[in-house]
């Protein structure tokens, strides 16, 4: 993940995905992510675009492209992002 996306992550995703009390699946929590990952990356990107449960549409990154979201999701899942 490059510096631009790292900054986006810090602004738009970390406040929920690194805060267990938010109810969001936590970064690097394989048990939380594996059932969601089974849906496939495009479905997860679509899910962030639309919003889900307590997550607003686009997380907090209205300007993110699908590629940005895919890289951020890979980071959340704990795998190596492009
Ligand atoms: C305001 C809190 C909040 C922010 C900000 C947020 N999320 Fe989430 N996110 C959640 C919550 C809560 C869930 C669980 C939703 C559910 O399953 O009910 C979730 C779920 C997800 C999922 C799984 C979706 C699915 O279909 O299971 C992905 C992927 C995701 N977030 C990515 C992101 C990314 C990428 C960002 C930053 C751009 C982000 N989130 C920002 C709260 C947040």
């Amino acid at each position: 993940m490059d510096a631009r996306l790292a900054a986006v992550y810090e602004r738009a995703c970390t406040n929920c995905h690194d805060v267990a009390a938010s109810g969001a699946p936590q970064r690097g929590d394989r048990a939380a992510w594996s059932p969601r990952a089974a849906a496939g990356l495009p479905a997860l990107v679509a899910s962030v675009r639309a919003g889900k449960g307590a997550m607003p549409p686009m997380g907090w990154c209205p300007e993110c492209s699908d590629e940005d979201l895919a890289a951020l999701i890979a980071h959340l899942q704990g795998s190596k992002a492009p």
Side-chain angles (χ1 to χ4, degrees), residues 8-9 11-17 22-25 33 36 39 43-45 47-48 52-56 58-61 64 68-69 72-73 76-77:
V8 169
Y9 181 83
R11 176 177 56 76
C13 312
T14 195
N15 285 300
C16 299
H17 287 278
S22 70
W33 282 108
R36 296 177 191 268
L44 293 180
V45 169
S47 180
V48 179
K52 185 172 186 183
M55 178 164 62
M58 304 300 287
W60 286 342
C61 185
C64 274
D68 290 342
L69 292 177
L72 293 167
I73 292 166
L76 281 170
Q77 291 176 326

